[in-house]
Amino acid sequence: MSTTSQFSTNPLSNKSLGLGASFFPSPGENKHSLTPKFLPGVSAESQSELASLLRLNNEKYHIYFNDQGFHNHLTHHLFAAYAMGCAPEVLSAAYKHHAEYQIPAFKSRADITENNWTEHLGKWDYYNSYMHFYASQIGAHGPGKTLEKYVFSKEANLTPDGNQGPQMLDRFMSGILHPMIHAGHWAEFNVPGMLAEGLALASVTRANSPQLFPADFFEYDSQPVPTAPIRKLSLNNPRSSSPSAYTGGSHSLDIVHRMLQDPDLAAGKTCTQDSGAKFSDTLKCVGGNIRDYAKLWQIDLDREVPEKLEEISWLVALLYGLGGWRKGHNFRSDFFLLHLVTSSIFLSSFLTHLSFPSQSALLRAHLSVTLAYWVSRGRPSLPIADYYSPSAPHPSTLIPPALQVHPSKSAIGVPSTPTTNLPSNVWLPIITSSLNHPEEHLLKTQRALAHFDQTYGKTTAQGYFQGKTELEGAEMLDGTLFWRVALHTQKALGWVRE
């Protein structure tokens, strides 16, 4: 299809293309204990620049940048760079870099209302009308209630007789998780325009995982379970790797272990190597199997939520990081598995806005999609023992020679000869190089891994998972996993300042 045929304008509508400044205020910071924290460097100037560029993008550009459904990542890059403390000039440069290939925003053929909102799902040319519709709902009911109603409620997913209907949670998690990622910036930065855009993106996205979201997935909606504010959920609760009466179902690493033993999920069995639709082919072939495995992961009580959140953080780092690592070979940064990492950073922020049933649904949905993408990418094994072997090259050797330092004689704790393996903070060169990298996926990945390290890395020594999971080699895992994977990713996608 041509860009002109897919993206047509409607000259009869007088409605503004954008949502206006009130939907893109100066970004804030979610202060809850498990949500990401800003790095030093965030300033009033960068905050003002970000808000201004967000409004420009909303007014000028479409959510897709071509007629193949490739997503506009401009705002994602801006938010990630801002939160990591970049200078305002970096924000301006990132905007210019992405603006060059965007397509103009355009008006839809008709308005979306409460009476017809389900009639145009999956149609790209209704994006602008959906965005304005959700903005009106946010204005009338607030962002949290709007999200609950149009993504997590039974009415948003099933027909009145209980069959699959609008499938909004499926759409929210489809498109390589981009609708969820986009809306996640509202949850973290309190910019309601990002929720309106994210819900509109979900509405025009095809529901491509019906096997993962059958009617029984939504049985939670009628269960009288009390809601627990996320502020009461902290790392002081029982840990996900500890035997606890708080934890129901199987550990996610146990599920992965069992899936690795399942011959029906082996590479080449669920889709062909040359398939251009590996994810869809996999779900058609073994979607029911994956759903059965995902159902083993249960969230029965609100106090389990922080444990399950931690499990997902470890799981995505493992599937992406060790799934792409093989002894003696270059690291493979898989584009699809990478999105499991970049999406999961927003889970904690979403949880601060949702009731417990919706918290449970979101975490279970993310786990389901994670397992499905992993299988569709060949179900790569996790060679933990080789990765942590003393004979394996230390990841710090991946820091480029240009970062060699020449310490002063007065420096403490450093060798006297030039070295790249300086025992200081390995994250500093990663962050610095990522901020100047043109590939926004790199910056988003490193920010997510840094958050996981900050939240879980410092409390985790080898033996943390000892006897707690069936996964082979899990007892060797420790908190260095997150920066190790970050270094491999930086090497694979390139150091640009060095």
Side-chain angles (χ1 to χ4, degrees):
M1 73 184 76
S2 70
T3 301
T4 8
S5 64
Q6 180 63 43
F7 298 101
S8 56
T9 60
N10 177 11
L12 301 178
S13 174
N14 294 319
K15 185 182 294 181
S16 170
L17 285 173
L19 298 178
S22 64
F23 276 85
F24 293 92
S26 296
E29 181 179 16
N30 195 318
K31 298 290 188 178
H32 292 283
S33 60
L34 297 182
T35 55
K37 300 298 177 282
F38 292 171
L39 298 186
V42 173
S43 65
E45 290 76 14
S46 60
Q47 184 183 60
S48 175
E49 181 71 6
L50 174 58
S52 174
L53 295 176
L54 294 175
R55 294 165 195 159
L56 274 177
N57 174 77
N58 177 255
E59 180 69 33
K60 295 180 65 175
Y61 301 124
H62 196 266
I63 199 67
Y64 296 125
F65 67 78
N66 62 21
D67 61 357
Q68 300 175 57
F70 287 17
H71 302 94
N72 175 350
H73 290 80
L74 194 158
T75 55
H76 304 184
H77 194 158
L78 297 181
F79 276 111
Y82 168 78
M84 293 182 78
C86 77
E89 292 80 5
V90 174
L91 294 175
S92 304
Y95 181 91
K96 181 178 179 181
H97 171 70
H98 293 290
E100 292 178 351
Y101 58 85
Q102 303 302 323
I103 64 169
F106 62 89
K107 294 173 182 175
S108 305
R109 297 189 178 101
D111 289 342
I112 297 295
T113 68
E114 290 189 68
N115 295 324
N116 72 353
W117 78 272
T118 63
E119 295 177 12
H120 300 288
L121 295 173
K123 300 177 183 178
W124 296 1
D125 51 347
Y126 279 83
Y127 168 75
N128 192 260
S129 283
Y130 271 113
M131 180 183 72
H132 281 278
F133 168 68
Y134 289 121
S136 70
Q137 294 296 301
I138 291 168
H141 308 292
K145 289 183 178 179
T146 300
L147 178 61
E148 298 254 12
K149 178 178 179 179
Y150 289 100
V151 172
F152 295 103
S153 69
K154 279 189 175 181
E155 293 72 23
N157 292 282
L158 305 176
T159 61
D161 57 358
N163 295 315
Q164 287 182 327
Q167 300 173 283
M168 281 299 289
L169 181 56
D170 186 348
R171 298 175 193 277
F172 195 64
M173 308 302 289
S174 291
I176 328 181
L177 294 152
H178 278 93
M180 178 216 154
I181 292 171
H182 203 92
H185 293 88
W186 153 73
E188 181 179 348
F189 297 92
N190 195 29
V191 177
M194 296 301 293
L195 179 60
E197 290 183 354
L199 292 176
L201 174 56
S203 298
V204 301
T205 297
R206 183 172 63 89
N208 62 7
S209 311
Q211 299 86 348
L212 302 180
F213 301 103
D216 65 0
F217 184 95
F218 301 96
E219 290 177 357
Y220 69 89
D221 199 47
S222 59
Q223 297 174 0
V225 185
T227 299
I230 194 72
R231 63 177 174 270
K232 294 183 180 179
L233 304 173
S234 71
L235 294 179
N236 295 324
N237 279 354
R239 305 306 293 258
S240 61
S241 58
S242 303
S244 169
Y246 285 9
T247 304
S250 300
H251 195 288
S252 58
L253 298 187
D254 287 344
I255 296 172
V256 166
H257 171 77
R258 295 167 199 173
M259 293 177 74
L260 283 167
Q261 315 307 313
D262 189 338
D264 292 335
L265 304 182
K269 288 287 189 71
T270 69
C271 62
T272 60
Q273 187 173 0
D274 60 352
S275 169
K278 289 183 171 66
F279 185 75
S280 297
D281 290 351
T282 293
L283 288 181
K284 290 174 184 176
C285 181
V286 293
N289 306 50
I290 296 172
R291 168 65 180 152
D292 288 340
Y293 280 112
K295 286 173 68 175
L296 298 174
W297 200 69
Q298 302 168 10
I299 309 175
D300 300 321
L301 299 170
D302 50 15
R303 57 190 174 185
E304 293 178 23
V305 169
E307 307 170 45
K308 299 301 186 178
L309 179 65
E310 180 185 0
E311 280 190 45
I312 287 180
S313 302
W314 285 96
L315 178 64
V316 297
L318 275 171
L319 298 186
Y320 164 70
L322 269 70
W325 182 90
R326 293 296 179 269
K327 188 176 182 179
H329 297 273
N330 291 331
F331 178 75
R332 179 173 180 264
S333 176
D334 187 286
F335 180 77
F336 294 89
L337 300 185
L338 175 149
H339 282 82
L340 306 179
V341 178
T342 62
S343 60
S344 57
I345 190 176
F346 296 108
L347 291 173
S348 58
S349 296
F350 273 119
L351 297 178
T352 68
H353 300 277
L354 297 174
S355 64
F356 169 69
S358 297
Q359 292 175 353
S360 170
L362 177 63
L363 292 173
R364 291 184 294 112
H366 196 280
L367 185 280
S368 301
V369 172
T370 291
L371 296 178
Y373 268 111
W374 173 57
V375 172
S376 75
R377 303 308 293 169
R379 194 191 64 180
S381 61
L382 307 176
I384 301 174
D386 284 345
Y387 189 70
Y388 279 91
S389 169
S391 62
H394 196 272
S396 63
T397 60
L398 300 173
I399 298 176
L403 285 180
Q404 282 190 349
V405 294
H406 299 76
S408 163
K409 291 181 180 180
S410 63
I412 62 172
V414 298
S416 57
T417 56
T419 179
T420 59
N421 300 324
L422 189 65
S424 54
N425 187 336
V426 70
W427 280 107
L428 296 181
I430 293 173
I431 292 168
T432 304
S433 189
S434 297
L435 282 172
N436 292 112
H437 205 289
E439 174 52 76
E440 72 278 5
H441 290 95
L442 173 64
L443 179 61
K444 296 194 298 177
T445 302
Q446 306 300 46
R447 178 172 178 252
L449 291 168
H451 167 60
F452 300 153
D453 191 356
Q454 189 174 27
T455 308
Y456 308 115
K458 61 182 176 293
T459 61
T460 309
Q462 284 196 344
Y464 182 65
F465 292 99
Q466 180 79 42
K468 309 300 191 301
T469 171
E470 304 167 16
L471 183 64
E472 185 177 351
E475 70 280 357
M476 302 183 71
L477 292 172
D478 63 15
T480 68
L481 173 70
F482 304 113
W483 63 256
R484 286 171 179 260
V485 174
L487 276 175
H488 285 296
T489 302
Q490 196 76 37
K491 171 68 173 178
L493 298 185
W495 298 83
V496 295
R497 295 181 77 256
E498 297 73 24

